[in-house]
Coordinates of all heavy atoms in Angstrom, one line a residue:
G429 N 30.8 12.7 19.8 CA 30.8 13.9 20.6 C 30.5 15.2 19.9 O 30.6 16.3 20.5
L430 N 30.2 15.2 18.6 CA 30.0 16.4 17.9 C 28.5 16.9 18.1 O 27.6 16.1 18.1 CB 30.2 16.2 16.4 CG 31.7 16.1 15.9 CD1 31.7 15.5 14.5 CD2 32.3 17.5 16.0
D431 N 28.4 18.2 18.1 CA 27.0 18.8 18.2 C 26.4 18.6 16.8 O 27.0 18.9 15.8 CB 27.1 20.3 18.5 CG 25.8 21.0 18.4 OD1 25.0 20.9 19.3 OD2 25.5 21.7 17.3
P432 N 25.2 18.1 16.7 CA 24.6 17.8 15.4 C 24.4 19.1 14.5 O 24.6 18.9 13.3 CB 23.2 17.2 15.8 CG 23.0 17.6 17.2 CD 24.3 17.7 17.8
K433 N 24.1 20.2 15.1 CA 24.0 21.4 14.2 C 25.3 21.8 13.6 O 25.4 22.2 12.5 CB 23.3 22.6 15.0 CG 21.9 22.4 15.2 CD 21.3 23.7 15.8 CE 19.8 23.6 16.0 NZ 19.2 24.9 16.6
L434 N 26.3 21.7 14.5 CA 27.7 22.0 14.0 C 28.1 21.0 12.9 O 28.7 21.4 11.9 CB 28.7 22.0 15.1 CG 30.1 22.2 14.8 CD1 30.4 23.5 14.1 CD2 31.0 22.0 16.0
L435 N 27.9 19.8 13.1 CA 28.2 18.7 12.2 C 27.5 19.0 10.8 O 28.1 18.9 9.8 CB 27.9 17.3 12.7 CG 28.2 16.2 11.8 CD1 29.7 16.2 11.3 CD2 27.9 14.8 12.4
A436 N 26.2 19.3 10.9 CA 25.5 19.5 9.7 C 26.1 20.8 9.0 O 26.2 20.7 7.7 CB 24.0 19.8 10.0
K437 N 26.4 21.8 9.7 CA 27.0 23.0 9.1 C 28.3 22.6 8.4 O 28.6 23.1 7.2 CB 27.3 24.0 10.2 CG 27.8 25.3 9.6 CD 28.0 26.4 10.8 CE 28.6 27.7 10.3 NZ 28.7 28.7 11.4
I438 N 29.1 21.8 9.0 CA 30.4 21.4 8.4 C 30.2 20.6 7.1 O 30.8 20.8 6.1 CB 31.2 20.6 9.4 CG1 31.7 21.6 10.5 CG2 32.5 20.0 8.7 CD1 32.3 20.8 11.7
L439 N 29.3 19.6 7.2 CA 29.0 18.8 6.1 C 28.5 19.6 4.9 O 28.8 19.4 3.7 CB 27.9 17.7 6.4 CG 28.3 16.6 7.4 CD1 27.1 15.7 7.7 CD2 29.5 15.8 6.9
N440 N 27.7 20.6 5.2 CA 27.0 21.4 4.2 C 27.9 22.5 3.6 O 27.5 23.1 2.6 CB 25.7 22.1 4.7 CG 24.7 21.0 5.0 OD1 24.7 20.0 4.4 ND2 23.8 21.4 5.9
M441 N 29.1 22.6 4.1 CA 30.1 23.5 3.5 C 31.3 22.7 3.0 O 32.4 23.2 2.6 CB 30.6 24.6 4.4 CG 31.2 24.1 5.7 SD 31.9 25.5 6.7 CE 30.4 26.5 7.0
S442 N 31.1 21.3 3.0 CA 32.2 20.4 2.6 C 31.7 19.5 1.5 O 30.5 19.6 1.0 CB 32.6 19.6 3.8 OG 33.0 20.4 4.8
S443 N 32.6 18.6 1.1 CA 32.3 17.7 -0.1 C 31.2 16.7 0.2 O 30.7 16.1 -0.8 CB 33.5 17.0 -0.6 OG 34.1 16.3 0.5
G444 N 30.8 16.5 1.4 CA 29.7 15.5 1.7 C 28.3 16.1 1.6 O 27.3 15.4 1.7
R445 N 28.3 17.4 1.3 CA 27.0 18.1 1.2 C 26.0 17.4 0.1 O 26.4 17.0 -0.9 CB 27.2 19.5 0.7 CG 25.9 20.3 0.5 CD 26.2 21.7 0.1 NE 25.1 22.5 -0.2 CZ 25.1 23.8 -0.6 NH1 26.2 24.3 -0.9 NH2 24.0 24.4 -0.8
C446 N 24.8 17.3 0.5 CA 23.7 16.7 -0.4 C 22.4 17.3 0.0 O 22.3 17.9 1.1 CB 23.8 15.2 -0.5 SG 23.4 14.4 1.1
W447 N 21.3 17.0 -0.8 CA 20.0 17.5 -0.4 C 19.5 16.9 0.9 O 18.9 17.7 1.7 CB 19.0 17.0 -1.5 CG 17.7 17.6 -1.4 CD1 17.2 18.8 -1.9 CD2 16.5 17.0 -0.9 NE1 15.9 19.0 -1.7 CE2 15.4 17.8 -1.0 CE3 16.3 15.7 -0.2 CZ2 14.1 17.5 -0.6 CZ3 15.0 15.4 0.2 CH2 14.0 16.3 0.1
S448 N 19.9 15.7 1.2 CA 19.5 15.1 2.5 C 20.1 15.8 3.7 O 19.6 15.8 4.8 CB 19.8 13.6 2.5 OG 19.1 12.9 1.5
S449 N 21.3 16.4 3.5 CA 22.0 17.0 4.6 C 21.6 18.5 4.7 O 21.4 19.0 5.8 CB 23.5 16.9 4.4 OG 24.0 17.6 3.3
D450 N 21.4 19.2 3.6 CA 21.3 20.7 3.6 C 19.8 21.2 3.5 O 19.5 22.3 3.8 CB 22.2 21.4 2.6 CG 21.7 21.2 1.2 OD1 20.7 20.6 0.9 OD2 22.4 21.8 0.3
T451 N 18.9 20.3 3.0 CA 17.5 20.7 2.8 C 16.5 19.9 3.6 O 15.4 20.3 4.0 CB 17.2 20.6 1.3 OG1 18.1 21.4 0.6 CG2 15.7 21.1 1.0
Y452 N 16.9 18.6 3.9 CA 15.9 17.7 4.5 C 16.6 16.8 5.6 O 16.5 15.6 5.7 CB 15.4 16.8 3.4 CG 14.0 16.2 3.5 CD1 12.9 17.0 3.2 CD2 13.8 14.9 4.0 CE1 11.6 16.5 3.2 CE2 12.5 14.4 4.0 CZ 11.4 15.2 3.7 OH 10.1 14.8 3.7
N453 N 17.4 17.5 6.4 CA 18.3 16.8 7.4 C 17.4 15.9 8.3 O 16.4 16.3 8.8 CB 19.0 17.8 8.2 CG 20.2 17.2 8.9 OD1 20.1 16.4 9.9 ND2 21.4 17.4 8.4
P454 N 17.9 14.7 8.5 CA 17.1 13.7 9.2 C 17.2 13.7 10.7 O 16.5 13.0 11.4 CB 17.7 12.3 8.7 CG 19.1 12.6 8.4 CD 19.1 14.1 7.9
V455 N 18.0 14.6 11.3 CA 18.3 14.7 12.7 C 17.3 15.7 13.3 O 17.3 16.9 13.0 CB 19.7 15.0 13.0 CG1 20.0 15.1 14.5 CG2 20.7 14.0 12.4
P456 N 16.5 15.3 14.3 CA 15.6 16.2 15.0 C 16.4 17.4 15.6 O 17.5 17.2 16.2 CB 15.0 15.4 16.1 CG 15.0 14.0 15.5 CD 16.3 13.9 14.8
G457 N 15.9 18.6 15.4 CA 16.5 19.8 16.1 C 17.5 20.5 15.2 O 18.0 21.6 15.5
V458 N 17.9 19.9 14.1 CA 18.9 20.5 13.2 C 18.2 21.5 12.3 O 18.8 22.6 12.0 CB 19.7 19.5 12.4 CG1 20.5 20.1 11.3 CG2 20.6 18.6 13.3
M459 N 17.1 21.2 11.8 CA 16.4 22.1 10.8 C 14.9 22.3 11.2 O 14.3 21.3 11.8 CB 16.4 21.6 9.4 CG 17.8 21.5 8.8 SD 17.7 20.9 7.1 CE 16.9 22.3 6.3
D460 N 14.3 23.4 10.9 CA 12.9 23.6 11.1 C 12.1 23.3 9.8 O 12.7 23.4 8.7 CB 12.6 25.1 11.5 CG 13.2 25.4 12.9 OD1 13.2 24.5 13.8 OD2 13.6 26.6 13.1
G461 N 10.9 23.0 9.9 CA 10.0 22.8 8.7 C 10.3 21.5 7.9 O 9.9 21.4 6.8
V462 N 10.9 20.6 8.5 CA 11.1 19.3 7.9 C 10.5 18.2 8.8 O 10.3 18.4 10.0 CB 12.6 19.0 7.6 CG1 13.2 20.0 6.6 CG2 13.4 19.0 8.9
P463 N 10.3 17.0 8.2 CA 9.6 15.9 9.0 C 10.4 15.6 10.3 O 9.8 15.2 11.3 CB 9.6 14.8 8.1 CG 9.4 15.4 6.7 CD 10.3 16.6 6.8
S464 N 11.7 15.6 10.3 CA 12.5 15.3 11.5 C 12.2 16.2 12.6 O 12.4 15.9 13.8 CB 14.0 15.3 11.2 OG 14.5 16.5 10.8
A465 N 11.7 17.4 12.3 CA 11.3 18.4 13.4 C 9.9 18.2 13.9 O 9.5 18.8 14.8 CB 11.4 19.8 12.8
N466 N 9.2 17.2 13.3 CA 7.8 16.9 13.6 C 7.6 15.4 13.8 O 6.6 14.9 13.4 CB 6.9 17.5 12.5 CG 5.4 17.4 12.9 OD1 5.1 17.6 14.1 ND2 4.6 17.1 11.9
N467 N 8.5 14.8 14.5 CA 8.4 13.3 14.8 C 8.2 12.5 13.5 O 7.6 11.5 13.5 CB 7.3 13.0 15.8 CG 7.4 11.6 16.4 OD1 8.5 11.1 16.5 ND2 6.2 11.0 16.7
Y468 N 8.8 13.0 12.4 CA 8.8 12.4 11.1 C 7.4 12.2 10.5 O 7.2 11.2 9.8 CB 9.6 11.0 11.2 CG 11.0 11.1 11.6 CD1 11.4 10.8 13.0 CD2 12.0 11.6 10.8 CE1 12.7 10.9 13.4 CE2 13.3 11.8 11.2 CZ 13.6 11.4 12.5 OH 15.0 11.6 12.9
Q469 N 6.5 13.1 10.9 CA 5.2 13.1 10.3 C 5.2 13.9 9.0 O 5.9 14.8 8.8 CB 4.2 13.7 11.3 CG 4.1 12.9 12.6 CD 3.8 11.4 12.4 OE1 2.8 11.1 11.8 NE2 4.7 10.6 13.0
G470 N 4.3 13.5 8.1 CA 4.2 14.1 6.8 C 5.3 13.7 5.9 O 6.0 12.8 6.1
G471 N 5.5 14.5 4.8 CA 6.6 14.2 3.9 C 6.4 13.0 3.1 O 5.3 12.7 2.6
F472 N 7.5 12.3 2.8 CA 7.5 11.1 1.9 C 7.6 9.9 2.7 O 8.7 9.6 3.3 CB 8.6 11.3 0.8 CG 8.6 10.2 -0.2 CD1 7.5 10.1 -1.1 CD2 9.7 9.4 -0.4 CE1 7.5 9.1 -2.1 CE2 9.7 8.4 -1.4 CZ 8.6 8.3 -2.2
G473 N 6.6 9.1 2.7 CA 6.5 7.9 3.6 C 7.5 6.8 3.3 O 7.9 6.6 2.1

Side-chain angles (χ1 to χ4, degrees):
L430 285 165
D431 175 78
K433 285 188 176 181
L434 174 62
L435 177 56
K437 182 177 180 180
I438 292 169
L439 293 176
N440 292 335
M441 59 176 61
S442 304
S443 56
R445 178 183 179 182
C446 63
W447 187 85
S448 295
S449 68
D450 71 0
T451 303
Y452 212 81
N453 198 285
V455 180
V458 169
M459 296 183 67
D460 295 326
V462 294
S464 62
N466 188 35
N467 196 30
Y468 301 104
Q469 300 304 305
F472 185 62

